[in-house]
């Protein structure tokens, strides 16, 4: 079983930055693909960014491309650096994990492990 804990959410003005962290309970997390998803007010949960276990592949939703960066801080932590935030980025952000897989990093249903979420609010 893998437990994920997100942190780093908060309130920020438009144009500002936040960095989200996702810490995993498993000692060795390096063989897991990691993803970030979000659910805005009255919206479905949507893909934001993902990084493959091998770190040779990252993908982003078009809405955040060029503004958000996903990376691994160490074997147990994944980061989401969010820059130039917009009010439409307001959402609960969720970290997700799955054992190494070659494809479909953006597919929510392929991730069996999820955190509880951290709220990001961007004021205009």
């Amino acid at each position: 079983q893998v437990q994920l804990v997100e942190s780093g959410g908060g309130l920020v003005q438009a144009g500002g930055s936040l960095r989200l962290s996702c810490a995993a309970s498993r000692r060795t997390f390096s063989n897991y693909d990691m993803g970030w998803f979000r659910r805005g007010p009255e919206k479905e949960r949507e893909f934001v960014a993902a990084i493959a276990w091998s770190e040779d592949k990252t993908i982003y939703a078009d809405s955040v491309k060029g503004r958000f960066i996903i990376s691994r801080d160490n074997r147990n932590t994944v980061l989401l650096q969010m820059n130039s935030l917009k009010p439409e980025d307001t959402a609960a952000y969720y970290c997700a994990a799955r054992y190494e897989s070659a494809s479909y990093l953006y597919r929510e249903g392929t991730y069996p492990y999820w955190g509880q979420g951290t709220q990001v609010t961007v004021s205009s």
Side-chain angles (χ1 to χ4, degrees):
Q1 186 70 16
V2 175
Q3 292 184 321
L4 305 173
V5 179
E6 304 97 334
S7 61
L11 173 64
V12 64
Q13 288 188 330
S17 298
L18 282 175
R19 188 175 71 170
L20 304 184
S21 295
C22 174
S25 59
R26 186 177 288 274
R27 185 173 298 178
T28 302
F29 208 55
S30 57
N31 282 19
Y32 282 75
D33 299 328
M34 299 297 299
W36 285 96
F37 295 77
R38 68 185 182 187
R39 177 183 283 131
E42 301 180 3
K43 295 181 180 179
E44 298 286 326
R45 190 158 59 184
E46 64 179 4
F47 168 75
V48 176
I51 184 167
W53 69 274
S54 58
E55 299 188 50
D56 63 351
K57 184 176 181 179
T58 57
I59 63 171
Y60 298 90
D62 287 343
S63 59
V64 306
K65 201 171 294 183
R67 300 188 296 123
F68 290 12
I69 301 171
I70 187 170
S71 63
R72 290 186 187 271
D73 186 38
N74 54 44
R75 290 186 300 176
N76 297 80
T77 303
V78 174
L79 306 174
L80 184 68
Q81 179 66 43
M82 306 187 296
N83 301 318
S84 302
L85 283 162
K86 304 175 181 179
E88 50 263 46
D89 293 319
T90 294
Y93 283 72
Y94 298 88
C95 176
R98 67 184 194 186
Y99 192 66
E100 59 186 59
S101 178
S103 57
Y104 305 115
L105 285 166
Y106 57 89
R107 284 193 177 173
E108 179 180 338
T110 64
Y111 291 83
Y113 307 111
W114 291 83
Q116 293 300 306
T118 184
Q119 179 67 35
V120 172
T121 302
V122 184
S123 62
S124 57

